Amino acid sequence: MKKFKTIYRALVVLLLVNACTEERSLDFLDNIAPPSNVAAAYTITQDNSGLVTITPTAEGAVAFDVDLGDSSPVVEGLEMGKNIQHTYAEGTYNIKVSAYNSKGDVTELTQELVVSFRAPENLVVTIENDAAITKQINISAIADFAATYEFYSGESGVDQPVATANIGDAINYQYAEAGMYSVKVVAKGGAVQTTEYTADIEVTEILAPIASAAIPPSRNPEDVISIFSSVYTDINATLLPDWGQSQFGSSFGEYDLNGDKMLQYTNLSYQGIAFDDNKQDVSNMEFLHIDVWTPDVTKLKTFIINETDEVQVTSDLRINQWTTLNIPLSEYTDQGLTLDLIRQFKFESEGPWPREGTVFVDNIYFWKSPTPAGTAILSDDFEGNGNITSWAGDDCGMDNNFANPFKDALNDSDTVLEYNDTGGQYANIRFDKDSNFDLTGGNSIFSLKIYVPSSSVSGSQPNQISLKLQDGTAAEPWAQQTEIIKSIALDTWQTVSFDFATDVTAGAADPLSRTDFNRVVLQVNSENNNDTVIAYLDDFTYGTEVADTEPFVNDDFEGNGTITTWAGDDCGMDNNFANPFKDALNSSDTVLEYNDTGGQYANVRFDITPNYDLNAKSKFSLKIYVPSSSISGSQPNQISLKLQDADPNPWERQSEIIKTIALDTWQEVTFDFATDTVLGVTDALSITNFSRVVLQVNSENNNDTVIAYIDDIKHFK
């Protein structure tokens, strides 16, 4: 390994020199995952010589060290694809394989090797049909004095054996056709003699789905017309109209999968659905959604029929998995069909008569994108128009400027975010909001589009995406997180919504009461595993900015505010002060300096017009930093916000909220006159003549000193 390490160091030095010369980043090295799925394949010569060929393999490796396990020198720097031949005495050895990637990360594996000149004994073979993959069997074999085994599939016209594995490792083999086969397993060691196992097995075909299609997303009632689903309200429809299809052997039934009902069409020549109300106006819809599972139909014709015409669109189906179709209705209208008087659907398989094949159909509905109700609070379309700037990946590759590899009618944008889990145990991507989330007032919904190609998925994790809310400032932000998990379909763009007001959540309960969430974490196909998955994300949004109502109260002290009447009472004030404590929470250049040099009733204030309507907007928020070095005396560390009128002696009729604060850190403080403890006039929402805001740090009626820096004040719902 000394030679390999020397080469690696030289390579890194060369990269660094090149980077310095050409001003290129070496950040790409961070995205190179450690090697995974390390293994060693054995081939033992069956001549009692003890000659063994060892071939190490791994994903993401460029070289290997191999400890032969018998005190021989370690073989160092073996290139990918090369092997080692070594002669062993009879015995059991622990072979250690160290796999290295291109930047020197190592993953190790220790694997047993048995070298014996006795024929294998006590051979035990297990052969089972795979529960999820049609016509696949899974084979395992164990035996004493054996190192490898071969599997003979019993198929004619296929070279045998079809697979070889180390003893104890699994072989997964998929047949072209279901049926009975005479199979054989041959166990081998270092001896000339072998031991065989034979059996007749039935290879079975999966003819029905074993998992449901992805659950449709939450939609506004006006954005969907449902024909058959378990999520939306269906219109009245006849699921088996008598069109004479039975004469061609076509049959219909409702298939129940653990309580999830779907339509099953067997020997599909043609079948259909008739609307009992005779017509539906879907002219304002955009897509027809259908989920289809089939063991043997490769193309499905979907007809929409109005009072005079029928038009069909042909869609490709994937075998033995759900295909999610979102057919643009423009594909029908471009053929001349009008959509205001739709009466029926018709489904046909493609091919010559008599047509055959089985399809399972679920989640049939028309839908359209919701009309935007306002500007999203947070958004990112990955085209440069978003306001999320802190995307990061944990144990996961991420590129938020990736060319969309799967453009379609649902998502034809040029650029998306690529999420690349190469096997990281807790792989995720995340971003932090510059202030904490307020999930109340209807702003509890997060939405995104996602596409997961099935070819990128390994392992047996559920096809899902989870969105977690965390306190990113906590030492262990996951400890008190709240999470929503949604199932997803593969090989299609889809919109997924997460509503923390109505969806089932895991982790910390009652998320709407939390005021410390500032981080969003997205995780595809579960965590705590080393399986791989690639996902493409787009059009992330959160919440809706409510149209502001007068009075307009905000100030960032950068010249963008609406407050023009700032004043200090018995207190120094500078509302154009250079921020002396920039950090991640507040990196703005300019803030307001509040300088209480000992004034008995020191405060800063501003007046507005018209008066406050606290029923429309009851909350105020601001950021504050108080350096501990500026404080004298023993006053409590706090800030109070008081609402007053313009009459003489306004403090006599004020409403006040007091909040404790921390020292030596920026923090955001919110005052809610609808829910917080209010002093003075406690029924503040009933007062209609409040026109002044007063801010006071560390109490009043004292001569102690304190300096505070205030920023980003606003009044909101």
Side-chain angles (χ1 to χ4, degrees):
M1 191 56 206
K2 292 179 181 178
K3 180 179 180 181
F4 180 71
K5 289 179 178 176
T6 301
I7 294 173
Y8 164 64
R9 283 196 291 267
L11 174 62
V12 171
V13 169
L14 179 61
L15 287 170
L16 289 170
V17 171
N18 188 57
C20 293
T21 303
E22 302 186 25
E23 297 184 353
R24 293 179 180 175
S25 172
L26 292 176
D27 291 344
F28 71 91
L29 291 172
D30 296 333
N31 294 325
I32 300 176
S36 59
N37 297 326
V38 181
Y42 303 140
T43 303
I44 299 181
T45 305
Q46 292 180 262
D47 58 1
N48 295 342
S49 67
L51 180 63
V52 180
T53 301
I54 303 173
T55 306
T57 60
E59 295 178 13
V62 297
F64 302 90
D65 290 349
V66 181
D67 185 335
L68 299 169
D70 65 349
S71 301
S72 299
V74 174
V75 178
E76 297 180 335
L78 186 71
E79 297 178 8
M80 172 66 83
K82 302 294 186 180
N83 57 47
I84 307 161
Q85 288 192 323
H86 186 68
T87 300
Y88 287 89
E90 280 192 287
T92 299
Y93 303 91
N94 289 318
I95 310 302
K96 181 179 179 182
V97 177
S98 302
Y100 296 85
N101 65 10
S102 56
K103 65 172 184 176
D105 295 331
V106 61
T107 303
E108 297 180 340
L109 167 80
T110 299
Q111 185 171 289
E112 186 178 86
L113 167 65
V114 176
V115 178
S116 174
F117 302 146
R118 295 172 58 179
E121 298 175 3
N122 302 320
L123 173 61
V124 177
V125 176
T126 302
I127 302 177
E128 298 176 334
N129 280 279
D130 193 277
I133 304 176
T134 189
K135 294 178 285 190
Q136 176 172 301
I137 61 170
N138 304 322
I139 309 104
S140 64
I142 57 174
D144 298 332
F145 314 118
T148 63
Y149 71 100
E150 299 172 337
F151 174 65
Y152 294 73
S153 67
E155 297 168 287
S156 60
V158 177
D159 293 338
Q160 304 290 337
V162 295
T164 301
N166 293 338
I167 203 75
D169 290 348
I171 291 175
N172 311 118
Y173 183 74
Q174 189 170 27
Y175 284 78
E177 301 293 339
M180 295 296 301
Y181 293 91
S182 297
V183 302
K184 179 172 66 174
V185 171
V186 178
K188 294 182 175 183
V192 175
Q193 295 176 302
T194 61
T195 300
E196 297 183 359
Y197 167 90
T198 60
D200 292 330
I201 65 165
E202 181 180 7
V203 177
T204 60
E205 185 174 11
I206 297 176
L207 299 175
I210 60 174
S212 297
I215 299 172
S218 299
R219 299 187 187 277
N220 299 321
E222 63 270 20
D223 297 329
V224 62
I225 297 175
S226 180
I227 313 303
F228 182 85
S229 76
S230 59
V231 173
Y232 310 123
T233 301
D234 297 339
I235 66 170
N236 295 323
T238 299
L239 301 179
L240 182 60
D242 184 7
W243 293 343
Q245 57 267 52
S246 59
Q247 64 181 304
F248 300 103
S250 185
S251 63
F252 161 81
E254 277 196 322
Y255 182 74
D256 191 322
L257 177 62
N258 301 320
D260 179 19
K261 291 184 178 180
M262 56 196 72
L263 310 180
Q264 179 179 359
Y265 298 131
T266 305
N267 294 325
L268 178 61
S269 54
Y270 63 92
Q271 290 282 359
I273 298 174
F275 306 154
D276 293 348
D277 295 333
N278 198 38
K279 62 183 180 180
Q280 288 291 323
D281 183 355
V282 300
S283 57
N284 67 334
M285 297 289 125
E286 299 173 339
F287 298 93
L288 170 61
H289 177 104
I290 312 174
D291 289 313
V292 185
W293 191 100
T294 178
D296 50 17
V297 176
T298 58
K299 292 183 181 293
L300 179 71
K301 295 181 179 180
T302 303
F303 292 76
I304 294 180
I305 305 170
N306 65 15
E307 291 188 315
T308 58
D309 300 300
E310 64 177 46
V311 169
Q312 64 93 10
V313 171
T314 301
S315 305
D316 293 328
L317 303 181
R318 296 188 303 277
I319 302 300
N320 299 312
Q321 56 184 304
W322 285 102
T323 301
T324 295
L325 304 178
N326 282 292
I327 305 172
L329 293 181
S330 60
E331 295 192 19
Y332 294 95
T333 57
D334 288 349
Q335 299 181 64
L337 189 72
T338 58
L339 299 176
D340 56 340
L341 297 172
I342 300 303
R343 297 188 301 118
Q344 298 168 337
F345 283 128
K346 184 173 67 173
F347 303 113
E348 291 184 5
S349 59
E350 190 173 67
W353 291 88
R355 294 176 183 161
E356 296 181 346
T358 298
V359 297
F360 296 79
V361 180
D362 202 359
N363 303 322
I364 308 171
Y365 57 88
F366 297 96
W367 67 278
K368 67 175 181 177
S369 300
T371 302
T375 304
I377 296 171
L378 291 176
S379 68
D380 205 336
D381 65 359
F382 307 105
E383 310 280 340
N385 302 313
N387 59 359
I388 303 173
T389 60
S390 56
W391 286 106
D394 296 314
D395 214 10
C396 180
M398 187 201 73
D399 183 345
N400 61 350
N401 188 32
F402 195 87
N404 183 355
F406 299 105
K407 287 188 177 183
D408 65 8
L410 184 58
N411 189 18
D412 62 353
S413 67
D414 293 326
T415 310
V416 297
L417 180 149
E418 182 194 50
Y419 169 114
N420 191 349
D421 175 2
T422 57
Q425 186 175 6
Y426 299 103
N428 65 72
I429 60 172
R430 57 179 168 82
F431 68 85
D432 290 345
K433 188 173 180 287
D434 59 2
S435 59
N436 293 344
F437 286 102
D438 179 1
L439 300 177
T440 62
N443 282 321
S444 59
I445 300 174
F446 298 76
S447 177
L448 55 81
K449 292 176 182 174
I450 184 171
Y451 189 112
V452 176
S454 56
S455 59
S456 75
V457 178
S458 72
S460 57
Q461 302 305 313
N463 297 317
Q464 65 180 42
I465 180 170
S466 72
L467 187 147
K468 309 174 186 182
L469 296 180
Q470 298 178 344
D471 174 5
T473 66
E476 295 183 346
W478 54 87
Q480 292 297 319
Q481 71 184 10
T482 297
E483 175 182 19
I484 295 175
I485 300 174
K486 292 293 182 81
S487 60
I488 56 175
L490 301 180
D491 300 311
T492 185
W493 279 107
Q494 61 220 273
T495 300
V496 183
S497 295
F498 309 82
D499 190 341
F500 284 87
T502 61
D503 287 340
V504 175
T505 61
D510 193 17
L512 268 63
S513 69
R514 295 285 294 274
T515 59
D516 59 339
F517 288 142
N518 72 323
R519 175 170 293 176
V520 171
V521 177
L522 299 172
Q523 193 167 57
V524 181
N525 287 18
S526 191
E527 68 176 6
N528 199 18
N529 66 79
N530 299 113
D531 297 334
T532 63
V533 62
I534 295 176
Y536 301 98
L537 306 179
D538 204 4
D539 296 339
F540 184 97
T541 63
Y542 161 69
T544 303
E545 292 280 10
V546 178
D548 203 0
T549 58
E550 293 186 308
F552 302 114
V553 176
N554 62 81
D555 207 336
D556 64 359
F557 306 105
E558 309 282 337
N560 304 313
T562 62
I563 305 171
T564 60
T565 56
W566 283 106
D569 294 316
D570 214 11
C571 180
M573 187 199 74
D574 183 346
N575 61 349
N576 188 32
F577 195 86
N579 184 356
F581 299 106
K582 289 187 178 183
D583 66 7
L585 181 60
N586 190 17
S587 61
S588 66
D589 293 326
T590 310
V591 297
L592 179 149
E593 183 193 50
Y594 170 113
N595 191 348
D596 175 2
T597 57
Q600 186 175 4
Y601 298 103
N603 65 72
V604 296
R605 57 178 168 83
F606 61 87
D607 294 337
I608 54 90
T609 186
N611 295 340
Y612 292 106
D613 179 359
L614 296 179
N615 290 290
K617 294 186 291 185
S618 64
K619 299 175 185 177
F620 296 80
S621 71
L622 54 81
K623 294 175 182 173
I624 185 170
Y625 189 112
V626 176
S628 56
S629 58
S630 73
I631 297 174
S632 69
S634 58
Q635 301 305 313
N637 297 316
Q638 64 180 42
I639 180 171
S640 73
L641 186 147
K642 309 175 186 182
L643 295 179
Q644 298 177 346
D645 59 39
D647 296 333
N649 301 329
W651 54 87
E652 295 177 351
R653 296 168 300 279
Q654 71 186 10
S655 291
E656 177 183 15
I657 296 175
I658 299 174
K659 292 292 181 84
T660 59
I661 56 174
L663 302 180
D664 300 313
T665 184
W666 278 108
Q667 61 221 273
E668 186 169 50
V669 182
T670 299
F671 309 83
D672 190 342
F673 284 88
T675 60
D676 287 343
T677 299
V678 179
L679 305 177
V681 179
T682 57
D683 57 340
L685 271 62
S686 68
I687 306 302
T688 59
N689 65 339
F690 284 147
S691 61
R692 174 172 292 177
V693 168
V694 176
L695 301 175
Q696 194 167 56
V697 181
N698 286 18
S699 191
E700 68 177 6
N701 199 18
N702 65 78
N703 298 112
D704 297 334
T705 63
V706 61
I707 295 176
Y709 302 97
I710 295 172
D711 203 2
D712 296 337
I713 185 168
K714 63 180 179 179
H715 176 214
F716 61 104
K717 183 174 180 178

